[in-house]
Amino acid sequence: MTTVAAAPPIALPIAPTPSAQVARRRRAFAWNLGAMLAIWSTSLFVVWLWVLGGGIDALLALDASSLNALGRLTGLVASNLLLYQVLLMARVPLFEKGFGRDALIRVHRLVGFWSLWAMLAHIVLLVAGYAAEAGVNPFVQLWEFVWDYPGMLLATVGTVLVIGVAVTSIRAARRRMRYESWHLLHLYAYLGVGIALPHQLWTGADFISSPAATAYWWTLWGLAAASVLVFRIGMPLARSLRHRITVTGIERDGDRGVTVRMGGRRLDRLGAEAGQFFVWRFLDGPGWSRGHPFSLSADPARGELVISARVAGDGTARLAGMKPGTRALIEGPYGRMTGAARDSRRLLMIGAGAGVAPLVSLLEGEDYAPGTAILITRDRSSADGLRQAAIADLVRFRGIRHVPLDGPRAAAGSAWLPRTHSAWGGPDVFRHLVDDLSDVDAYVCGPDAWMDAVCADLRAAGVPAPRIHTEAFSI
Ligand SMILES: Cc1cc2nc3c(=O)[nH]c(=O)nc-3n(C[C@H](O)[C@H](O)[C@H](O)COP(=O)(O)OP(=O)(O)OC[C@H]3O[C@@H](n4cnc5c(N)ncnc54)[C@H](O)[C@@H]3O)c2cc1C
């Protein structure tokens, strides 16, 4: 039963006023609009460059020059998308705030797929077109391209690198590799894109056809390179140095988890919000350079940074062995699963395993009346549960209702429920707990497949899709 104590020992959050909430939402909309406009307007600009270069006339000639015109168009599109691939993953605030991490990863996959096919089409079409014009065998033409045209040898190496990265990112291949190996290989895509570009500027008519075209490509290439340097290396280093984040305590958390507390200088200026995550590098010895994303498991407004991890492999296991005083390098804060996404006065939080971490920080940071927030947690056994003490405080002092659904997975029925609830449909569980599901914000965090099942049941139970907010703990 939920009890609400009279005098809470923990600081209650200051409720955002409705106008502050509207302003937060307007800002989020403006970032999203800006990000969409940047991508679409530049893509149209690139097609316009091709039209200006006589692309349509060449296409309608219906001879070898049509193949060349199409080859040039696919080359332009591929170059634009490849540079956007770099920009999308460079932690540029416009895209981080405009899309959020989950959507960014989806866009990155989609853009990666189309940029690869556009690049392959570009090669095949130009080889076929030039071979037809010169009346030579396409393989002879390909050989000539690689050896005789300026920058083409570099472009060939770049293409091979990009294809290698694409192949190892196919799900089946990706599952067979250690995350670290895959990530290291993935970084070769930067090199691939970087060395493929000179051939476009040396030989591509559309790239040097006008001062506007040349300025555009150099600017985009320069922006992509500078963004990686500034947002992935420079800014995280500068923030880490400025805030001097240091481990202050390490606690065992449940049977398979650990909670790390950190302090630092002027943490209020980090701009971190409950529900967000950082990529952390702890300077505790060899292997420190491998960053791991962990969400804040306590509201950062309380003056410290807290993360809670379920031990999965080397990176999480070493957290338990750290000593107070260990320095941390940070990248972030990232993530849009914050209070800004919220529309209603009531909250339904559903977390599996370590997914409970950002939900606890949100429940600590958000404003709600006692009895209007529900936290459903899902673990294999109750002894595994993370942040149990913080959850007990939330029940006691903020009046949340905690519904632990522990136990092995159900073999039938809703895939996210435990075996003990296999007779229940997932939507019925939600209807049983919340009387009006059209007026609740649902926050969901856990493994991908589990989240898909929860979200499907939330929608089936009547929660409007825009009120379901998620953060996946996988990439
Ligand atoms: C946005 C986000 C927030 C997260 N928040 C938390 C949290 O609050 N608490 C928690 O316990 N876990 C969290 N995770 C998961 C956590 O990052 C991984 O469990 C951890 O990195 C595993 O590292 P490992 O070396 O211990 O295990 P490994 O055995 O190396 O990997 C275990 C699994 O984690 C994935 N993984 C490994 N390294 C990374 C990495 N650098 N980035 C992304 N995935 C990786 C691998 O794909 C693998 O499937 C979060 C993940 C993401 C993407």
Side-chain angles (χ1 to χ4, degrees):
M1 203 186 77
T2 299
T3 52
V4 184
I10 49 177
L12 284 170
I14 300 156
T17 58
S19 59
Q21 192 74 355
V22 170
R24 279 210 293 196
R25 208 155 311 128
R26 280 206 185 126
R27 273 200 299 277
F29 176 76
W31 281 111
N32 185 265
L33 190 70
M36 297 292 285
L37 272 178
I39 296 184
W40 279 105
S41 59
T42 51
S43 303
L44 285 177
F45 180 71
V46 158
V47 175
W48 182 63
L49 287 179
W50 174 78
V51 174
L52 279 189
I56 292 184
D57 289 344
L59 189 66
L60 295 178
L62 297 180
D63 55 16
S65 61
S66 309
L67 291 174
N68 291 338
L70 271 181
R72 275 169 32 224
L73 179 62
T74 46
L76 288 168
V77 171
S79 307
N80 208 50
L81 293 183
L82 279 171
L83 286 170
Y84 266 105
Q85 278 293 75
V86 176
L87 278 166
L88 286 172
M89 287 292 116
R91 315 273 194 226
V92 178
L94 175 67
F95 298 123
E96 289 290 325
K97 295 187 185 182
F99 292 131
R101 185 178 165 282
D102 286 3
L104 260 183
I105 289 176
R106 280 197 301 276
V107 175
H108 179 69
R109 279 203 197 112
L110 203 73
V111 172
F113 178 86
W114 286 111
S115 60
L116 181 75
W117 284 109
M119 191 174 79
L120 295 177
H122 163 68
I123 298 168
V124 170
L125 287 164
L126 281 188
V127 167
Y130 273 63
E133 261 176 3
V136 296
N137 181 311
F139 290 103
V140 174
Q141 184 59 55
L142 181 63
W143 185 259
E144 272 181 23
F145 268 156
V146 175
W147 293 105
D148 297 344
Y149 283 65
M152 282 300 292
L153 200 55
L154 275 179
T156 308
V157 178
T159 306
V160 171
L161 285 175
V162 171
I163 292 175
V165 169
V167 169
T168 51
S169 296
I170 296 169
R171 265 173 227 263
R174 161 95 171 75
R175 269 199 292 267
R176 286 167 198 267
M177 301 177 77
R178 266 172 59 87
Y179 172 83
E180 283 83 5
S181 322
W182 170 80
H183 189 244
L184 198 68
L185 239 153
H186 211 74
L187 296 182
Y188 281 108
Y190 287 123
L191 188 64
V193 175
I195 63 177
L197 192 85
H199 91 281
Q200 299 157 341
L201 295 166
W202 290 330
T203 57
D206 294 291
F207 290 83
I208 42 180
S209 56
S210 68
T214 313
Y216 172 77
W217 288 108
W218 276 115
T219 308
L220 191 58
W221 194 87
L223 271 179
S227 300
V228 173
L229 290 176
V230 171
F231 296 115
R232 294 217 68 158
I233 302 171
M235 273 188 42
L237 260 180
R239 301 191 114 202
S240 301
L241 289 174
R242 187 179 332 130
H243 294 287
R244 295 181 68 83
I245 291 158
T246 310
V247 173
T248 52
I250 298 122
E251 300 151 16
R252 203 189 159 99
D253 197 340
D255 273 2
R256 297 194 290 139
V258 57
T259 281
V260 180
R261 298 182 176 279
M262 286 159 280
R265 271 200 314 228
R266 301 306 318 253
L267 294 183
D268 53 318
R269 297 216 178 147
L270 262 178
E273 287 183 62
Q276 289 192 302
F277 70 94
F278 288 83
V279 177
W280 305 86
R281 288 181 176 80
F282 292 100
L283 304 181
D284 59 343
W288 66 268
S289 59
R290 269 175 245 132
H292 291 276
F294 294 113
S295 304
L296 296 172
S297 64
D299 179 15
R302 293 173 171 206
E304 63 174 348
L305 299 178
V306 183
I307 55 170
S308 302
R310 166 69 52 81
V311 174
D314 312 351
T316 35
R318 66 188 288 167
L319 294 179
M322 285 193 311
K323 302 266 175 293
T326 304
R327 287 283 298 274
L329 302 181
I330 49 163
E331 266 183 70
Y334 301 128
R336 292 204 313 173
M337 198 182 67
T338 64
R342 186 177 164 193
D343 249 338
S344 107
R345 298 170 62 80
R346 298 187 307 161
L347 292 169
L348 175 60
M349 308 293 207
I350 312 146
V356 74
L359 306 184
V360 169
S361 73
L362 274 163
L363 284 167
E364 288 180 351
E366 282 300 297
D367 179 52
Y368 48 86
T372 58
I374 297 177
L375 171 66
I376 302 178
T377 53
R378 176 82 186 86
D379 279 290
R380 218 181 146 70
S381 103
S382 57
D384 284 347
L386 282 175
R387 302 293 280 138
Q388 290 295 320
I391 294 172
D393 277 351
L394 285 165
V395 171
R396 191 156 168 232
F397 301 118
R398 299 288 314 276
I400 73 157
R401 184 167 172 204
H402 178 208
V403 183
L405 293 177
D406 299 327
R409 271 187 224 167
S414 286
W416 66 275
L417 285 171
R419 200 171 293 160
T420 47
H421 287 64
S422 54
W424 285 68
D428 293 335
V429 172
F430 297 132
R431 285 190 202 108
H432 177 72
L433 291 171
V434 185
D435 49 11
D436 180 7
L437 282 157
S438 66
D439 183 27
V440 71
D441 275 283
Y443 286 77
V444 188
C445 193
D448 276 342
W450 182 88
M451 290 207 322
D452 289 347
V454 174
C455 292
D457 283 352
L458 280 170
R459 285 192 298 271
V463 181
R467 292 213 176 157
I468 303 176
H469 319 291
T470 59
E471 183 81 79
F473 274 11
S474 50
I475 49 165

